Amino acid sequence: MKTPVPDYLLEIRDACSNGDAGRLADYIPELAAVDPDRFAVAACTMDGIVYTAGDADAEFTIQSMSKPFVYALALRDRGIEAVLEKVEVEPSGDAFNQISLDRETGRPRNPMINIGAITTHTLVSEPDATQDDRDEAVRQGLSAFAGRELGVDDAVLDSELRTAFRNRAMANLVRAGGIIANDPDEVVRGYTRQCAYRVTVRDLAVMAVTLATGGINPVTKERVVSAPVARQVLAVMATCGMYDAAGDWMSTVGIPAKSGVSGGIFGALPGQVGLGVFSPRLDEHGHSVEGVRTFERLSHDLELHLMNTTVTDVEAVRSVRFDEISGRRTFRLQGPMTFASAEQVLRRLAEIPEGPSEVTLDLSRVSSVNASARRMLLEAMTRLSADGHVVGLADPGRRLPRPDLGDGTRPVNRRAAR
Ligand code: GLU
């Protein structure tokens, strides 16, 4: 059988074609020269499989879609706190090129609008790095997200530098306000270069999924940023990524995303998928018309909205077996262990009559245990043990940290359960 996913993507692409609605960005002269009819879609799975439709290997410049990734690099290099001291994370509700500074602190509102992205650019690398060092760190970082060496489109870079009056004004403004200490012209050159990297929709999908996995590029297997950094970036994309259309986007599409004036949009759904779309005609917010339609359609058809509630009626405790002879109770758990499911388990364990008795937790059907569930289950084992029960653990997938107990089915003693 041939997987139907590529056919589905092709169908979506055809269904979302929108004739000649929208217009090409023209404030960067070189961008107005692209073929307006190009339209491609790509999706990358959590294990690094890329599906595409359309001209998936045709390049375009990354533009503002570089902002979340460079924000990630700044967070990685300086730490979340230090970056927050320079750039806030409040949606501005303004267009990408508005001068949105906090009235009191003078800090840019968020790293997705230009003034915030220009400031964020200065936070990549060490504080004493030169602009060349920073350019190289951005090149390496964006390439690590994409899983291949990316190159700059010099024609677009030159074209934009010749017309970057507004961005220069903003760099001077944050310099005057003491938010950055760098030479504003150098920073604008670096920021404009960052926007001029050439990517494909395939790259966008891989870069996106690298955020969705919590920072690991599933194609190269490289950890590019830490999980807390990836989460911070996704959160800021969700609230600020689509500029003055962010609220509408979050309610209709519900996928953390970022657009660029070149006509690309990428979206990252945590734990599920990375998506990239390219079609250069833009709407009044500066988002690709066909790109927005494609995301709306994908979100609807594939139920990708972040706020969809997946209520499972699967009991966290699959069964409790009571062995008359030994008096042992075996709690067979199942599914992913999160706060909600671990709480169900704790409630059942609390019903065990006073000890001493034998209690075994069987995790062989548990698919994952997150950190909160891990703490909850370990605390339950410690408490049962303190109450005089002999606690056993069957955990072939090694989902819980524990001492070496041979086959893992032997009782855990009081000390070991701690
Ligand atoms: N390089 C563009 C600028 O700074 C990016 C804008 C965008 O893609 O929204 O004006």
Side-chain angles (χ1 to χ4, degrees):
M1 187 201 94
K2 195 169 135 268
T3 164
V5 177
D7 301 334
Y8 169 73
L9 281 186
L10 210 53
E11 200 184 301
I12 289 287
R13 198 196 66 135
D14 294 345
C16 296
S17 293
N18 202 14
D20 56 4
R23 45 195 297 267
L24 297 179
D26 54 7
Y27 76 102
I28 302 172
E30 194 69 19
L31 287 185
V34 301
D35 171 4
D37 294 323
R38 278 171 54 186
F39 186 6
V41 191
C44 184
T45 64
M46 296 288 286
D47 54 355
I49 305 298
V50 183
Y51 296 106
T52 64
D55 199 353
D57 296 311
E59 295 184 319
F60 47 91
T61 51
I62 190 169
Q63 298 300 337
S64 282
M65 293 177 288
S66 62
K67 293 169 179 174
F69 300 107
V70 172
Y71 183 50
L73 301 176
L75 295 167
R76 175 198 70 185
D77 293 346
R78 303 288 177 91
I80 293 180
E81 288 308 316
V83 173
L84 286 175
E85 275 168 26
K86 300 287 183 190
V87 184
E88 307 195 342
V89 288
E90 289 306 327
S92 66
D94 287 333
F96 73 99
N97 59 2
Q98 287 306 300
I99 301 172
S100 303
L101 299 175
D102 184 275
R103 262 172 224 265
E104 272 166 25
T105 62
R107 293 175 200 149
R109 284 279 186 202
N110 69 66
M112 299 294 121
I113 49 175
N114 283 13
I115 196 160
I118 290 167
T119 305
T120 304
H121 177 86
T122 68
L123 301 173
V124 176
S125 287
E126 302 301 315
D128 58 356
T130 64
Q131 186 55 44
D132 283 348
D133 296 338
R134 219 168 359 257
D135 288 343
E136 177 54 16
V138 167
R139 189 194 67 77
Q140 282 181 15
L142 293 179
S143 299
F145 272 107
R148 73 174 182 105
E149 295 299 314
L150 299 179
V152 166
D153 185 324
D154 290 315
V156 172
L157 173 60
D158 293 344
S159 174
E160 182 166 0
L161 274 177
R162 274 199 301 278
T163 54
F165 306 111
R166 207 179 163 87
N167 284 343
R168 251 181 227 118
M170 291 199 255
N172 278 285
L173 209 57
V174 279
R175 175 73 176 84
I179 303 291
I180 67 170
N182 317 55
D183 170 40
D185 284 330
E186 276 198 349
V187 174
V188 170
R189 268 201 301 280
Y191 163 75
T192 310
R193 167 175 287 273
Q194 148 193 335
C195 292
Y197 276 94
R198 285 190 308 253
V199 290
T200 65
V201 285
R202 180 189 299 279
D203 294 326
L204 288 181
V206 174
M207 295 172 91
V209 87
T210 300
L211 292 172
T213 60
I216 296 176
N217 180 324
V219 177
T220 60
K221 314 275 186 259
E222 183 188 351
R223 173 165 287 287
V224 183
V225 290
S226 68
V229 163
R231 186 181 66 184
Q232 173 78 6
V233 174
L234 289 170
V236 173
M237 282 167 61
T239 49
C240 314
M242 299 302 275
Y243 308 132
D244 43 342
D248 186 27
W249 178 269
M250 203 52 207
S251 59
T252 54
V253 177
I255 300 174
K258 187 75 202 78
S259 67
V261 278
S262 50
I265 304 180
F266 82 88
L269 190 63
Q272 289 216 50
V273 71
L275 300 165
V277 181
F278 175 73
S279 168
R281 289 195 184 89
L282 309 179
D283 64 16
E284 68 280 13
H285 302 288
H287 306 318
S288 162
V289 173
E290 291 177 327
V292 170
R293 281 168 65 97
T294 306
F295 265 91
E296 285 171 351
R297 183 68 194 267
L298 285 168
S299 167
H300 178 266
D301 284 12
L302 305 179
E303 298 192 38
L304 298 178
H305 199 296
L306 192 60
M307 300 305 172
N308 280 344
T309 322
T310 336
V311 186
T312 58
D313 48 9
V314 178
E315 291 285 333
V317 179
R318 182 182 167 83
S319 65
V320 183
R321 213 177 43 230
F322 182 60
D323 186 290
E324 299 278 350
I325 300 167
S326 62
R328 181 195 300 146
R329 283 181 180 76
T330 303
F331 288 74
R332 295 170 73 204
L333 314 186
Q334 63 183 359
M337 285 292 139
T338 58
F339 165 78
S341 46
E343 188 278 334
Q344 282 184 20
V345 177
L346 263 48
R347 219 181 317 151
R348 298 291 298 273
L349 293 173
E351 290 165 2
I352 299 173
E354 274 192 25
S357 74
E358 259 187 54
V359 180
T360 294
L361 296 186
D362 179 352
L363 270 62
S364 42
R365 283 173 174 268
V366 167
S367 53
S368 61
V369 181
N370 77 7
S372 93
R374 188 182 312 135
R375 281 196 304 275
M376 291 165 80
L377 294 176
L378 288 174
E379 178 63 21
M381 289 167 70
T382 306
R383 289 188 178 203
L384 286 169
S385 177
D387 287 351
H389 299 283
V390 177
V391 184
L393 183 64
D395 181 17
R398 292 192 160 263
R399 311 239 178 247
L400 286 186
R402 65 201 159 100
D404 189 2
L405 297 169
D407 66 3
T409 53
R410 270 191 274 147
V412 179
N413 64 28
R414 222 177 258 236
R415 200 159 44 86
R418 233 172 270 143

